[in-house]
Amino acid sequence: MKALIAMLATLMAGPAAADTFEDFVHPPAETRPMVRWWWFGPKVEDAELVREIKAMKAGGFGGFEIQPVYPLELDGNTTYLSDDFLSSLRLANDTGRAEGMRVDLTLGSGWPFGGPHITADLASSRLRLLNLDPGSALPALAPGERIIAVFAGPDMATAALLDETPPTDARLFVVLQSPTGQQVKRPAVGAEGHVLDHMNAAAVQTHLTKVGEPLLTAFGDHPPHAIFSDSLEVYNADWTGDVLPEFRNRRGYDLKPHLLELFAETRTSAAVRHDWGLTLSELTEERYLTPLRVWAEKHNTKFRSQTYGFPPVTLSSNRLVDLAEGEGAHWRQFTSTRWASSANHLYGNPVTSAESWTWLHAGAFQATPLDIKAEADALMLQGVNQFIAHGWPYSPPSAEEPGWAFYAAAVFNDHNPWWTVMPDVNLYLQRMSWLLRQGDPVADVAIYIPTEDAFAGITPGKATVNAQMDAYIIPELTAQILDAGFNFDYVDGGSIAAKGINYKVLILPRVTRIEPETYRRIEAYRQAGGIVIAVDRLPETAPGLLNPDSATVRAISAKLSVTTEATLGQTLINQTTPDLSGLQPGIGFVHRKLPQGDAYFVANTTNAAVTLPLVFRDGQGPAQVWDARLGTAQAWDGTPVTLAPYESQVFVFGADALSAITKPKPQRRDLTGWQINSLPINTFPSWPDEHFSGVAIYSAKLEVSEADLKAGLTVLDFGEGEALPPVKQAAGMRADFSAPVRDAAEVYVNGVRAGAVWTAPFTINLKDYLKPGTNRLEIRVANTAVNLLSSRPPTDYAALKARYGDRFQPQGMGNLKPLPSGILKAPTLTTP
């Protein structure tokens, strides 16, 4: 990839600016979005694999991640890891490489890792407590269970650890190591089984030997670009067989007498839980993350990981993976997306990928190109610059249209009617991904991840760090920072020790516990001129049972003051200059510092148009506005900026000045003589066949004169659309907006494709395609597949579930209703 860093070194010299913009317009292939490619069954055919790979490339995708999942047909499914399956894997890799595409591989089927090779002793484990009445016998143990400790006493607070046969007249509290019972989710045929214990080195090695090694044999001398580990969703996992000796070695005391404090609230239970959580985190790092990275390196591939969830890992755990990935589009609250991008910023990794569009406008086939852009912009506002589309369902030629779909995702394949504009959508994403990899990210603010408090808040069955962050980094805190005109990263004690604090401001959000050594580093940062803001409370204690240095914590806290979430934004503005002023809630930005300039990505994530008096702190010198949708640039003179619903623009400072564009006198002309599929129309209702999914062709003759062309009367305008009431989804997002074109349009002038209309503003300038006289205008409009699906009852999976079990539940596919389709407002011809 030709980096903007190098090319902008002489940005003011003239030609470099042109070269840089040319790379923005035509970015390198490695910045293209990728897809997660689901192989159902797996039941795949060689010819269809090759066809789909070529279709991916034609649609603007730069690669795929292969993930075998549950079957969708009763018969003909290939057993996971069989010779036939590995042969298909080899073909896909060879074809992808021949097409110049990146190939990644999920190192398992479904998620989390596990399968038939994981025996009960290697499966994920949890603590379980039995409360037995006096006189009760100890229970028979289930497979994989063992007794860790027995306590006797009237209640958990006073019960004593027993070293001998329990008395018959006392209440007993029995702490067991018990299997979580979790099975691999959405597995392919032959991949069913227990989820492995991520804190058990033997379990991880068994998976690498039994699954990883056979998979990599299919790749031969051409390994995948990366192996992939999905988010850690090992629910309830909080134990492994040697926690007690490991705990004693690491924490300096015996956990066994304190086990009931993990279940009951006592004066010291939070301290014990902290030490327990820290130990689990260290074991996950040492026995799961590190071995996978080492194994990947040995096999000449990279380790891509969603490093968050259960069992607990920390922000700094991302230092152990090659490619840290996130998910979650809600940019104005805590997300694992910013968790991953922050770690990449801290540890010097230039690319942050995201599992993108999971649950987008649920269910399958409801999502539109506008939905895609709305979520993409929200992801980019959190630092994402590599999209992994969720996803591309393999679909056999025999499947009834619109083909197969994953249970919880948008559909990004060529069975979707609006696939006609997929190259245009992907080019927008590719341009922005390229731009957001250039230079360095600018974030004035760091938010401290209160890992110590999170460890102290872990309870049996809920061993996680990131899932607790909503209690500390609440949405109001995030909104206050963003709306005040600042961007931020997360940091934690590990990153501060390794990398320092390279931000103007450090925020401590509701922190109670903090490592004294971390706090000393924070105090040194403050004394060197850094700004430290405690929100809601001051840290007051050192974490852990044997940490004696709470006095240091209190002494440093005495030098700080406290603000509230509600006043944080103004506190920041009082302390330092905002990076971007003139914002409104829902308008976000990303700032990249270039060697001799600055680039700001500004996005409207709301369903209303806004006009903003933007002031860029680092906006020095001539300015340009780059449009990633159109691949255009124009001068910006500092006047207020209007953004349509879900519109975004890039402001580039330091580039050679462009001549200011003189706006032509406003004109608008109605267009008449419209036809749809060769039938005359006078109005623009939704298509009369409400169950039709596909493409309809609108056409008209367009008369323009030399004077019209000279006056700039060349913009085809479809109207503004209509805001819709917000729809709250349990997960994912959607654009709350009814576009004037439902849902994508290709525009042709005199038989030549002039471009596509799929997002706001719903206009297209035809100046390069119109000629004086009569022009033939053709608009090919595609809708979604929902209309076709609404004519059928939901697919009956009863027979499939009877044979293979209940491996998935289709989301949002019941009671589908036809959606508006086509051009819904009379297009007009107007000036820019």
Side-chain angles (χ1 to χ4, degrees):
M1 183 178 70
K2 292 180 288 185
L4 186 60
I5 296 175
M7 291 183 294
L8 285 188
T10 55
L11 187 60
M12 305 297 289
D19 292 344
T20 300
F21 180 69
E22 185 64 21
D23 278 350
F24 171 72
V25 176
H26 303 289
E30 59 262 32
T31 59
R32 287 183 172 190
M34 294 176 58
V35 292
R36 178 169 295 172
W37 192 11
W38 293 295
W39 291 10
F40 297 97
K43 183 179 181 179
V44 294
E45 303 169 19
D46 287 356
E48 180 61 18
L49 289 176
V50 172
R51 190 203 70 78
E52 291 192 13
I53 291 171
K54 291 179 180 292
M56 292 175 195
K57 183 176 180 180
F61 290 107
F64 50 87
E65 170 212 312
I66 300 171
Q67 187 178 96
V69 289
Y70 54 85
L72 282 177
E73 285 193 350
L74 285 172
D75 301 312
N77 296 295
T78 302
T79 302
Y80 183 64
L81 296 181
S82 66
D83 289 344
D84 287 344
F85 169 76
L86 295 178
S87 176
S88 297
L89 198 60
R90 184 178 302 110
L91 174 65
N93 184 51
D94 291 345
T95 304
R97 291 178 63 86
E99 294 293 329
M101 301 178 75
R102 170 176 159 180
V103 182
D104 283 10
L105 176 68
T106 300
L107 207 68
S109 171
W111 70 96
F113 291 163
H117 53 287
I118 298 300
T119 53
D121 60 311
L122 300 178
S124 60
S125 297
R126 64 174 300 179
L127 285 178
R128 191 160 69 92
L129 177 66
L130 299 180
N131 185 338
L132 302 180
D133 291 331
S136 300
L138 292 178
L141 298 180
E145 284 192 325
R146 68 183 182 93
I147 294 176
I148 301 173
V150 179
F151 296 80
D155 53 53
M156 284 192 284
T158 59
L161 177 65
L162 299 178
D163 294 324
E164 54 189 29
T165 303
T168 59
D169 59 347
R171 177 171 296 280
L172 301 181
F173 299 92
V174 183
V175 181
L176 301 175
Q177 175 181 333
S178 183
T180 67
Q182 185 173 353
Q183 302 292 294
V184 174
K185 297 198 287 187
R186 326 302 175 203
V189 173
E192 307 88 346
H194 296 299
V195 169
L196 65 80
D197 179 355
H198 289 61
M199 296 173 284
N200 183 325
V204 174
Q205 185 56 53
T206 297
H207 187 78
L208 293 175
T209 301
K210 297 292 187 178
V211 176
E213 296 292 346
L215 286 173
L216 267 289
T217 62
F219 288 79
D221 295 332
H222 305 291
H225 179 85
I227 57 168
F228 175 61
S229 169
D230 215 323
S231 52
L232 298 175
E233 299 177 22
V234 192
Y235 299 120
N236 297 315
D238 58 23
W239 198 259
T240 194
D242 62 345
V243 165
L244 290 180
E246 288 293 336
F247 187 99
R248 185 183 301 107
N249 291 338
R250 296 163 189 262
R251 307 282 84 88
Y253 67 98
D254 189 359
L255 175 61
K256 193 172 184 178
H258 298 276
L259 281 172
L260 289 185
E261 294 189 77
L262 305 182
F263 295 90
E265 296 299 330
T266 70
R267 183 179 60 83
T268 57
S269 59
V272 175
R273 290 171 185 166
H274 168 274
D275 294 343
W276 173 47
L278 176 59
T279 302
L280 300 181
S281 175
E282 291 172 350
L283 292 174
T284 306
E285 288 188 349
E286 295 165 13
R287 297 177 176 182
Y288 180 70
L289 295 176
T290 298
L292 259 73
R293 187 199 66 217
V294 171
W295 187 88
E297 183 178 4
K298 175 184 174 182
H299 289 80
N300 299 309
T301 184
K302 296 182 183 298
F303 178 31
R304 178 164 65 90
S305 173
Q306 295 180 354
T307 311
Y308 42 85
F310 307 76
V313 286
T314 68
L315 177 73
S316 290
S317 298
N318 284 282
R319 76 193 185 280
L320 300 174
V321 309
D322 298 309
L323 304 169
E325 179 167 297
E327 61 185 309
H330 297 292
W331 64 284
R332 292 171 65 82
Q333 64 188 50
F334 177 86
T335 65
S336 60
T337 302
R338 201 181 293 267
W339 169 280
S341 69
S342 297
N344 284 327
H345 296 163
L346 290 165
Y347 291 99
N349 299 319
V351 177
T352 296
S353 59
E355 176 187 305
S356 310
W357 306 295
T358 307
W359 305 103
L360 179 70
H361 203 149
F365 292 106
Q366 299 241 43
T368 69
L370 178 59
D371 291 321
I372 294 170
K373 183 182 186 296
E375 178 164 326
D377 286 355
L379 290 169
M380 289 187 286
L381 291 176
Q382 300 176 77
V384 170
N385 52 19
Q386 172 69 66
F387 294 95
I388 314 290
H390 195 274
W392 183 294
Y394 171 92
S395 194
S398 59
E400 186 179 20
E401 288 296 332
W404 289 352
F406 194 64
Y407 80 103
V411 175
F412 286 80
N413 67 19
D414 56 351
H415 292 272
N416 213 320
W418 51 253
W419 172 262
T420 53
V421 303
M422 195 75 250
D424 304 272
V425 177
N426 273 337
L427 185 55
Y428 168 79
L429 301 173
Q430 183 185 3
R431 286 168 175 159
M432 285 307 310
S433 295
W434 176 82
L435 184 71
L436 294 178
R437 297 183 193 186
Q438 313 312 312
D440 296 310
V442 176
D444 295 315
V445 176
I447 300 177
Y448 185 77
I449 295 287
T451 307
E452 297 93 332
D453 283 323
F455 283 152
I458 286 176
T459 56
K462 298 179 181 179
T464 179
V465 172
N466 63 286
Q468 295 190 61
M469 286 304 104
D470 287 340
Y472 299 94
I473 305 171
I474 67 172
E476 185 177 6
L477 181 142
T478 300
Q480 283 282 321
I481 297 170
L482 296 172
D483 294 343
F486 299 94
N487 235 317
F488 65 90
D489 282 333
Y490 300 132
V491 299
D492 67 1
S495 73
I496 289 174
K499 301 295 181 179
I501 307 172
N502 300 301
Y503 301 84
K504 293 182 179 179
V505 181
L506 175 66
I507 293 175
L508 305 177
R510 302 186 173 191
V511 174
T512 297
R513 298 164 187 82
I514 193 166
E515 280 288 350
E517 184 56 35
T518 299
Y519 214 9
R520 280 190 281 268
R521 290 189 174 102
I522 292 172
E523 172 61 11
Y525 157 82
R526 189 188 69 84
Q527 291 183 3
I531 300 167
V532 179
I533 300 174
V535 175
D536 190 63
R537 66 177 71 102
L538 290 166
E540 60 187 35
T541 187
L545 187 64
L546 301 186
N547 198 329
D549 205 7
S550 292
T552 294
V553 173
R554 291 190 291 271
I556 296 173
S557 288
K559 303 174 184 179
L560 303 178
S561 58
V562 179
T563 190
T564 65
E565 282 94 359
T567 60
L568 177 59
Q570 190 59 53
T571 300
L572 286 169
I573 292 172
N574 292 342
Q575 299 267 10
T576 188
T577 304
D579 195 3
L580 180 55
S581 302
L583 296 172
Q584 298 177 11
I587 314 301
F589 75 98
V590 173
H591 178 188
R592 303 289 297 191
K593 174 64 69 175
L594 311 174
Q596 295 192 34
D598 294 85
Y600 287 83
F601 168 66
V602 181
N604 179 6
T605 68
T606 77
N607 62 0
V610 294
T611 298
L612 308 167
L614 298 179
V615 178
F616 299 88
R617 182 186 64 202
D618 296 344
Q620 306 298 321
Q624 298 179 12
V625 179
W626 292 4
D627 190 321
R629 177 176 61 99
L630 302 176
T632 59
Q634 64 182 49
W636 180 61
D637 59 4
T639 57
V641 174
T642 297
L643 295 174
Y646 302 107
E647 185 183 7
S648 55
Q649 296 287 357
V650 176
F651 295 82
V652 181
F653 298 87
D656 284 356
L658 292 174
S659 300
I661 297 175
T662 302
K663 288 246 179 191
K665 179 181 178 181
Q667 296 185 56
R668 185 175 296 274
R669 179 182 298 172
D670 293 333
L671 303 178
T672 58
W674 285 99
Q675 296 183 335
I676 180 171
N677 296 337
S678 301
L679 298 176
I681 56 171
N682 295 315
T683 59
F684 290 84
S686 184
W687 295 342
D689 183 354
E690 62 178 8
H691 295 303
F692 172 74
S693 291
V695 176
I697 300 176
Y698 295 77
S699 59
K701 291 181 179 179
L702 183 56
E703 299 285 343
V704 293
S705 65
E706 286 277 10
D708 292 333
L709 298 176
K710 187 174 293 186
L713 193 63
T714 59
V715 176
L716 186 66
D717 188 349
F718 291 86
E720 295 184 349
E722 179 182 352
L724 298 175
V727 175
K728 182 68 173 178
Q729 292 189 182
M733 66 170 294
R734 59 184 289 179
D736 298 311
F737 193 78
S738 179
V741 180
R742 299 292 301 269
D743 287 288
E746 295 181 286
V747 179
Y748 289 78
V749 178
N750 302 319
V752 178
R753 191 179 192 270
V757 176
W758 53 275
T759 186
F762 298 94
T763 61
I764 181 170
N765 198 326
L766 307 178
K767 65 179 181 179
D768 294 333
Y769 302 91
L770 293 172
K771 60 182 178 61
T774 302
N775 296 267
R776 176 166 177 77
L777 182 63
E778 185 176 286
I779 307 172
R780 304 176 186 178
V781 180
N783 63 347
T784 73
V786 169
N787 293 40
L788 173 61
L789 291 170
S790 69
S791 67
R792 309 171 186 162
T795 302
D796 184 359
Y797 294 110
L800 195 72
K801 292 180 180 181
R803 179 177 297 184
Y804 295 110
D806 191 2
R807 302 194 184 200
F808 68 99
Q809 301 79 38
Q811 304 293 307
M813 298 303 290
N815 197 31
L816 292 175
K817 303 295 184 185
L819 299 174
S821 302
I823 299 176
L824 303 182
K825 290 186 176 182
T828 60
L829 201 64
T830 185
T831 50

